[in-house]
């Protein structure tokens, strides 16, 4: 139920592993442009036998020289004089179509991962990833030359397979070498090495791309830790399996009386340090992989904060944009009907995340209160002192994450004998975190110049000020486009379908979503002068982007450490002594600064303990993960195998 349907029947999970492994070992054979071949239009989805045929049966053989010679002979045979062709008309033939196509330069990429082999006496084009041919593996599903749109749609249909995408990613890791030096899956599950941890996660959850990426980054940071103590391999294997995963349907009715159904998630990842804390995300892209990745990152973030608590994450693929208040309310009530049993101050307290604001959390809490039958939980050490504690906390809760990012960056700059004054800062996103980052950057004398949304980005070279930020908040509250900002401030410019990473900058704050910075974006950032990247969103960079930034000596402040301000604020609110005090903004910021300083020092100490130099672009990332992991590992060891 948890895995997305791909339309491809697999015999077992091991087939998935073998498929990618075989694709890596396969030497691709690409013919030169302009050469004619016979393309067999073989069995496809319209052939009942195709669906029942496993992709991985006996190990497929490599195309040999003889095979290619034979395929060339087939090409020559297709060009015989008409007399010879007439003689063959009397022979019985199978129901199939055969067409001759000339390779075109504009379609060369279509065959980038294809090879020609002879099967049953006919030269056919095979996919080098899954070693099959047919409807999803030919460039033209209509059996004739067709239009470019038709042919590319067939290619996209095939490439939408998650396994196909993963295999392509592995093969494209080296542009010069098509064949990888060694497959990823080379060791058994029982191997006590850092590599075996990633292999075990891949074997168990091969389709969860975001979660696997997060696991790979964490394991890479922990290599020196695991090398010193193999006991941590067992701890890591347990840590990577969440304590509880909830996947449920959320039926709701719109204002027209039509029913809809969405999927809900809550992953309570680890409670070794205490009750879970983590956000709810409502976004169409939400799935179990993202919920697990967010829960894993939140677990590490909470462990690194001064207040040791467990981690969780969840949400739904429901999109609140464009929905009325009543529609959002009905959805939130249906969502809470399923999950309320697992929430509470001593179990799991959710907070705001992407797509979830005060409106959504208010509806969620109202239904929780109704179902739970109480407003307070007096028997627990940290009790509800008001409904806002449950959903968004004090008026400073939303500021805490954005302010904390800037406080953390200021500590990093101070170690470099610099400060924010006069630095050009590029910020992505335009939600609560991004706008509060802008506020604090202005307070420190920096020049923030960009914000972005899902359609493009806005740049104001003069820099934002408090009045402009207030106008941005008004635009977002009315769910208008950032393009409207340019109508008021003529010197600004809005770029459609673009990212802000090409703007000249000194410090970057990605605050939108995961993997928003890819390889090309990283190159643009380096060329734009970026020297420091502070992660406001969880895992904002792809692995390729991280490699480029590190090679360029761009210092990365990880979200695990820099984004812990919200965790600190939440625990302030739940602490009985803190709740008995009316915090002023100055007092709260002072406490937040002190907490971020502790986190920064703890991160540097862990990095130094395992040989990472302070000036290294990896030091903060590795130090944060090492410190958080060691804290969790100690608690898990003390509590035994639970």
């Amino acid at each position: 139920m948890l895995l997305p349907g791909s339309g491809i029947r697999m015999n077992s999970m091991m087939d998935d592993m073998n498929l990618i492994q075989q694709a890596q070992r396969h030497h691709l054979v690409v013919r030169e442009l302009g050469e004619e071949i016979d393309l067999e239009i073989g069995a496809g989805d319209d052939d009942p036998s195709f669906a029942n045929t496993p992709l991985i049966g006996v190990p497929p053989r490599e195309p040999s020289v003889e095979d290619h010679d034979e395929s060339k002979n087939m090409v020559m045979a297709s060009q015989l004089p008409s007399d010879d062709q007439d003689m063959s008309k009397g022979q019985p033939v199978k129901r199939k179509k055969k067409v001759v196509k000339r390779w075109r330069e504009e379609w060369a990429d279509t065959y980038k991962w294809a090879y020609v082999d002879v099967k049953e006496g006919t030269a056919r084009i095979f996919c080098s990833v899954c070693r099959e041919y047919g409807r999803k593996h030919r460039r033209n599903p209509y059996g004739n030359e067709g239009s470019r749109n038709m042919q590319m749609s067939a290619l996209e249909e095939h490439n939408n397979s998650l396994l196909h995408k993963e295999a392509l990613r592995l093969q494209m890791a080296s542009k010069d070498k098509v064949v990888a030096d060694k497959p990823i899956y080379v060791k058994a599950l029982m191997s006590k090495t850092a590599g075996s941890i990633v292999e075990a996660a891949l074997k168990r959850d091969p389709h969860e791309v975001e979660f696997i990426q997060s696991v790979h980054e964490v394991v890479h940071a922990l290599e020196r830790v695991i090398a010193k103590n193999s006991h941590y391999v067992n701890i890591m294997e347990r840590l990577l399996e969440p304590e509880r995963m909830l996947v449920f349907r959320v039926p709701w009715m719109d204002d027209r009386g039509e029913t809809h159904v969405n999927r809900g998630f809550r992953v309570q990842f680890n409670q070794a340090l205490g009750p879970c804390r983590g956000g709810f995300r409502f976004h169409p892209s939400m799935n179990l992989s993202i919920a697990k990745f967010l829960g894993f990152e939140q677990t590490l973030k909470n462990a690194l904060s001064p207040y040791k608590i467990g981690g969780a994450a969840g949400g739904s693929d429901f999109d609140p944009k464009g929905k009325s208040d009543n529609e959002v309310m009905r959805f939130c009530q249906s969502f809470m009907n399923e999950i309320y049993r697992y929430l509470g101050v001593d179990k799991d307290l959710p907070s705001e995340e992407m797509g979830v604001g005060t409106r959504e959390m208010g509806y969620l809490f109202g239904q929780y209160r109704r179902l739970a039958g109480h407003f307070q939980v007096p028997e627990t050490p940290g009790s509800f002192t008001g409904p806002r504690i449950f959903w968004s906390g004090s008026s400073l809760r939303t500021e805490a994450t954005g302010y904390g990012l800037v406080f953390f960056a200021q500590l990093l700059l101070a170690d470099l004998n610099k400060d924010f004054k006069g630095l050009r800062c590029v910020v992505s996103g335009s939600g609560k975190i991004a706008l509060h980052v802008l506020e604090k950057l202005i307070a420190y004398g920096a020049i923030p110049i960009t914000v972005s949304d899902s359609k493009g980005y806005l740049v104001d070279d003069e820099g934002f000020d408090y009045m402009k930020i207030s106008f941005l908040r008004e635009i977002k509250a009315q769910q208008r486009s950032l393009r409207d900002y340019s109508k008021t401030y003529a010197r600004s410019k809005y770029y459609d379908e673009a990212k802000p990473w090409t703007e000249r900058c000194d410090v970057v704050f990605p605050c939108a979503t995961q993997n928003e910075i890819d390889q090309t974006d990283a190159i643009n950032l380096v060329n734009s002068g970026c020297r420091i990247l502070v992660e406001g969103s969880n895992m904002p960079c792809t692995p390729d982007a991280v490699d480029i930034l590190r090679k360029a000596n761009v210092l990365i402040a990880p979200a695990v450490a820099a984004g812990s301000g919200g965790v600190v604020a939440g625990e302030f609110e739940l602490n009985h002594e803190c709740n008995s005090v009316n915090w002023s903004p100055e007092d709260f910021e002072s406490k937040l600064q002190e907490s971020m300083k502790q986190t920064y020092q703890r991160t540097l100490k862990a990095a130094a303990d395992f040989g990472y130099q302070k000036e290294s672009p990896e030091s903060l990332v590795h130090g944060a993960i090492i410190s958080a992991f060691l804290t969790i590992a100690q608690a898990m060891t003390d509590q035994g195998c639970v």
Side-chain angles (χ1 to χ4, degrees):
M1 182 181 73
L2 302 182
L3 294 178
S6 62
I8 300 177
R9 300 184 181 180
M10 309 300 291
N11 288 338
S12 65
M13 283 294 185
M14 188 56 68
D15 290 338
D16 298 22
M17 305 300 103
N18 292 336
L19 188 146
I20 298 177
Q21 184 175 349
Q22 291 170 7
Q24 286 184 299
R25 291 198 300 259
H26 179 67
H27 293 264
L28 304 183
V29 179
V30 180
R31 297 203 167 197
E32 296 181 358
L33 301 179
E35 182 179 356
E36 291 185 351
I37 63 167
D38 285 340
L39 172 60
E40 174 66 19
I41 304 301
D45 289 347
D46 49 353
D47 188 337
S49 64
F50 181 77
N52 298 325
T53 304
L55 292 180
I56 304 298
V58 297
R61 60 185 179 88
E62 301 287 341
S64 61
V65 177
E66 291 78 12
D67 292 334
H68 300 311
D69 291 339
E70 187 175 355
S71 68
K72 291 181 179 179
N73 293 334
M74 293 300 301
V75 174
M76 297 175 62
S78 67
Q79 302 170 359
L80 290 176
S82 57
D83 294 340
D84 294 340
Q85 292 180 1
D86 293 338
M87 294 175 60
S88 63
K89 287 182 179 179
Q91 300 176 359
V93 295
K94 297 180 181 179
R95 294 182 58 189
K96 60 185 179 182
K97 286 185 178 181
K98 183 180 293 186
V99 294
V100 177
K101 297 185 178 180
R102 181 174 296 277
W103 291 55
R104 294 187 178 181
E105 186 172 1
E106 64 193 69
W107 292 332
D109 288 341
T110 303
Y111 286 96
K112 192 169 186 179
W113 305 115
Y115 66 95
V116 179
D117 199 357
V118 176
K119 186 169 183 178
E120 298 176 357
T122 303
R124 295 169 173 166
I125 295 181
F126 286 77
C127 169
S128 63
V129 177
C130 44
R131 309 294 292 273
E132 288 291 333
Y133 70 97
R135 174 183 286 286
K136 290 191 177 182
H137 307 86
R138 61 178 183 250
R139 65 177 181 177
N140 185 359
Y142 302 98
N144 53 37
E145 191 67 9
S147 68
R148 176 174 171 79
N149 290 337
M150 291 177 180
Q151 298 182 18
M152 294 310 295
S153 65
L155 175 68
E156 290 169 0
E157 179 186 9
H158 179 215
N159 288 353
N160 279 338
S161 163
L162 287 177
L163 283 173
H164 187 82
K165 286 182 177 179
E166 178 65 9
L168 292 185
R169 187 187 68 77
L170 296 175
Q171 291 180 0
M172 292 178 68
S174 173
K175 293 184 179 179
D176 299 327
K177 295 170 59 179
V178 176
V179 182
D181 291 335
K182 67 173 185 176
I184 284 187
Y185 310 98
V186 293
K187 296 182 181 179
L189 181 60
M190 297 303 293
S191 300
K192 302 303 179 183
T193 63
S196 70
I197 299 174
V198 179
E199 291 162 18
L202 280 164
K203 182 176 181 180
R204 178 168 289 181
D205 303 305
H207 299 284
E208 296 178 356
V209 180
E210 294 83 3
F211 178 60
I212 296 300
Q213 179 183 341
S214 178
V215 170
H216 187 272
E217 290 184 2
V218 171
V219 171
H220 175 61
L222 295 175
E223 281 187 301
R224 296 185 184 181
V225 178
I226 294 171
K228 286 189 176 182
N229 190 342
S230 60
H231 167 67
Y232 289 135
V233 176
N234 291 324
I235 295 293
M236 195 66 184
E237 288 174 349
R238 274 194 288 151
L239 176 62
L240 293 180
E241 187 64 22
E243 292 185 8
R244 180 180 288 113
M245 290 186 289
L246 306 174
V247 182
F248 50 94
R249 73 178 181 187
V250 187
W252 58 282
M253 186 175 294
D254 64 22
D255 292 340
R256 295 175 297 179
E258 296 180 1
T259 59
H260 303 269
V261 62
N262 288 92
R263 181 171 291 178
F265 308 92
R266 189 62 176 175
V267 177
Q268 296 175 343
F269 218 95
N270 190 280
Q271 301 182 76
L273 296 176
C276 290
R277 303 286 186 268
F280 277 149
R281 173 181 291 191
F282 290 169
H283 192 270
S285 66
M286 189 66 181
N287 55 37
L288 184 60
S289 174
I290 293 177
K292 288 177 67 176
F293 134 67
L294 292 174
F296 186 39
E297 295 280 328
Q298 192 68 45
T299 298
L300 297 172
K301 188 181 299 184
N302 292 349
L304 187 61
S305 70
Y307 300 91
K308 305 300 187 294
I309 47 181
S316 173
D317 56 1
F318 171 78
D319 188 0
K321 290 183 179 179
K323 305 293 192 302
S324 69
D325 288 349
N326 285 332
E327 289 173 331
V328 173
M329 180 185 69
R330 285 190 287 269
F331 171 83
C332 290
Q333 290 174 345
S334 180
F335 183 91
M336 186 55 67
N337 287 343
E338 180 64 30
I339 203 174
Y340 81 95
R341 303 172 184 84
Y342 305 97
L343 301 181
V345 72
D346 59 338
K347 299 178 183 177
D348 182 358
L349 283 187
S351 58
E352 298 176 6
E353 233 266 10
M354 183 187 300
V356 177
T358 303
R359 175 184 64 169
E360 288 77 14
M361 292 303 282
Y363 293 145
L364 289 169
F365 177 74
Q367 187 70 357
Y368 171 82
R369 178 186 59 78
R370 179 184 182 186
L371 295 170
H374 56 72
F375 191 86
Q376 294 182 339
V377 191
E379 65 272 13
T380 56
S383 62
F384 291 119
T385 56
R388 292 184 61 79
I389 295 297
F390 183 79
W391 67 87
S392 62
S394 71
S395 60
L396 295 174
R397 174 68 176 269
T398 56
E399 283 92 330
T401 302
Y403 287 4
L405 291 170
V406 180
F407 292 155
F408 195 92
Q410 176 64 20
L411 293 169
L412 178 56
L413 285 169
D415 275 350
L416 299 174
N417 296 319
K418 298 180 180 179
D419 58 31
F420 267 117
K421 190 172 183 179
L423 295 184
R424 287 171 61 90
C425 299
V426 167
V427 180
S428 69
S430 53
K432 295 180 291 293
I433 294 177
L435 295 182
H436 289 131
V437 167
L438 296 182
E439 279 185 5
K440 192 51 61 178
L441 286 174
I442 294 171
Y444 274 113
I447 307 174
I449 59 172
T450 67
V451 288
S452 68
D453 57 18
S454 59
K455 303 293 179 60
Y457 79 92
L458 173 72
V459 57
D460 189 335
D461 278 321
E462 295 180 348
F464 297 107
D465 55 28
Y466 292 116
M467 184 177 296
K468 292 178 178 178
I469 293 176
S470 178
F471 184 53
L472 285 173
R473 283 204 175 91
E474 181 182 338
I475 290 175
K476 297 301 293 184
Q478 297 173 2
Q479 297 185 355
R480 293 154 56 194
S481 170
L482 290 176
R483 188 182 289 103
D484 293 344
Y485 179 95
S486 299
K487 298 177 182 178
T488 303
Y489 296 95
R491 294 188 179 181
S492 65
K493 187 169 180 61
Y494 183 84
Y495 294 93
D496 285 306
E497 302 298 331
K499 300 178 183 179
W501 314 127
T502 56
E503 299 294 333
R504 183 173 61 84
C505 60
D506 302 296
V507 185
V508 169
F509 292 84
C511 301
T513 186
Q514 72 274 358
N515 289 332
E516 58 180 299
I517 299 177
D518 58 23
Q519 185 178 28
T520 302
D521 299 327
I523 295 173
N524 290 334
L525 282 174
V526 173
N527 293 335
S528 300
C530 172
R531 305 316 310 159
I532 297 176
L533 186 145
V534 185
E535 296 182 349
S537 56
N538 291 306
M539 200 171 70
C541 301
T542 65
D544 291 338
V546 171
D547 290 340
I548 290 172
L549 294 172
R550 286 176 178 170
K551 290 177 182 178
N553 289 321
V554 175
L555 296 178
I556 300 177
V560 170
S564 61
V567 180
V568 173
E571 291 311 297
F572 279 168
E573 296 159 357
L574 290 174
N575 185 286
H576 180 71
E577 293 181 2
C578 292
N579 280 320
S580 64
V581 179
N582 292 323
W583 291 96
S584 67
E586 294 76 15
D587 292 337
F588 188 88
E589 285 193 27
S590 177
K591 289 286 185 182
L592 182 60
Q593 280 182 305
E594 181 61 30
S595 297
M596 298 307 296
K597 184 177 181 180
Q598 293 177 21
T599 300
Y600 179 74
Q601 292 174 343
R602 191 179 300 114
T603 297
L604 288 180
K605 183 179 183 305
D609 289 343
F610 285 87
Y612 294 102
Q613 299 298 322
K614 189 175 183 179
E615 299 78 14
S616 170
E618 299 180 320
S619 61
L620 288 175
V621 177
H622 290 359
I625 293 174
I626 290 172
S627 179
F629 172 75
L630 291 178
T631 302
I632 299 171
Q634 185 60 54
M636 293 179 68
T637 301
D638 293 342
Q639 296 172 22
C641 185
V642 294

